[in-house]
């Protein structure tokens, strides 16, 4: 056995040669390309390959290039999506609320045939503002329900 530097080792035994190389760590996962709305599905793990984005329910992915070929997905903030391995939301289904870089890990790789949104983000809350002329909520009360540029006009 001979060692050639720190890079590799050569071992000879009966006409065979084994080359041992140092292992190379896998590349870090990509940050998910989160859509503004809906769900983005990707052909490969770590958001690679072909991508389709949906903002409406898809009863059947049969007419798309990604039917039973989705390996990662990303979901818009505040949304909840359900994916199913059968058309028309049948078969086994799974709910997702966030990005998933590797569906193989969850045993969902290349299985998605339909998907639907279960919840949209909540609309922004409109908050009324109450003003009081006195301290400790006393005196004249004014409720503002829209933008006011100058409080002297109220």
């Amino acid at each position: 056995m001979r060692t050639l530097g720190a890079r590799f080792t050569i071992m000879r035994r009966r006409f065979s040669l084994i080359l041992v190389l140092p292992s190379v760590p896998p590349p870090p996962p990509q940050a998910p390309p989160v859509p503004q709305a809906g769900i983005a599905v990707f052909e490969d793990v770590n958001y690679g390959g072909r991508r389709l984005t949906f903002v409406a329910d898809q009863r059947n992915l049969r007419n798309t290039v990604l039917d039973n070929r989705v390996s990662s997905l990303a979901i818009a903030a505040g949304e909840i999506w359900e994916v199913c391995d059968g058309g028309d939301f049948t078969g086994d289904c799974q709910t997702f609320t966030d990005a998933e870089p590797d569906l193989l890990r969850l045993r969902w790789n290349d299985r998605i045939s339909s998907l639907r949104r279960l919840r949209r983000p909540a609309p922004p809350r409109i908050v009324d503002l109450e003003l009081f002329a006195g301290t400790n909520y006393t005196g004249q009360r004014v409720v503002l329900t829209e933008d006011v540029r100058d409080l002297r006009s109220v």
Side-chain angles (χ1 to χ4, degrees), residues 99-152:
E100 179 53 55
D102 186 359
L103 290 171
L104 182 62
R105 186 177 65 81
L106 300 174
R107 297 187 178 153
W108 271 94
N109 189 57
D110 295 342
R111 289 181 54 196
I112 298 173
S113 289
S114 58
L115 43 92
R116 62 181 161 187
R117 183 174 14 210
L118 298 180
R119 186 183 80 188
R120 298 174 191 262
R125 257 185 79 201
I126 298 173
V127 179
D128 295 342
L129 177 63
E130 293 183 52
L131 301 175
F132 294 89
T135 59
N136 295 325
Y137 310 106
T138 60
Q140 183 183 358
R141 176 178 161 252
V142 176
V143 178
L144 303 178
T145 58
E146 57 190 55
D147 292 346
V148 175
R149 290 194 181 275
D150 187 349
L151 289 176
R152 291 176 289 200

Side-chain angles (χ1 to χ4, degrees), residues 63-79:
N63 296 327
T64 73
V65 295
L66 293 182
D67 183 33
N68 293 319
R69 294 177 147 236
V70 175
S71 296
S72 54
L73 56 83
I75 296 175
E79 295 190 17

Side-chain angles (χ1 to χ4, degrees), residues 5-110:
R7 302 211 34 97
F8 57 89
T9 303
I10 297 177
M11 300 170 69
R12 280 194 174 188
R13 179 186 259 172
R14 286 194 191 170
F15 308 110
S16 61
L17 177 70
I18 300 172
L19 188 62
V20 180
L21 298 173
S23 63
V24 177
Q30 283 183 290
V34 178
Q36 292 294 316
I39 183 172
V41 294
F42 301 84
E43 184 174 28
D44 299 329
V45 296
N46 292 325
Y47 319 107
R50 292 182 279 194
R51 169 189 180 161
L52 293 175
T53 301
F54 301 103
V55 293
D57 297 352
Q58 298 297 306
R59 299 187 77 74
N60 203 320
L61 295 178
R62 188 179 321 127
N63 296 327
T64 73
V65 295
L66 293 182
D67 183 33
N68 293 319
R69 294 177 147 236
V70 175
S71 296
S72 54
L73 56 83
I75 296 175
E79 295 190 17
I80 298 174
W81 283 78
E82 178 182 63
V83 301
C84 300
D85 64 4
D88 292 321
F89 319 114
T90 61
D92 290 331
C93 297
Q94 173 76 39
T95 302
F96 290 92
T97 59
D98 203 356
E100 179 53 55
D102 186 359
L103 290 171
L104 182 62
R105 186 177 65 81
L106 300 174
R107 297 187 178 153
W108 271 94
N109 189 57
D110 295 342

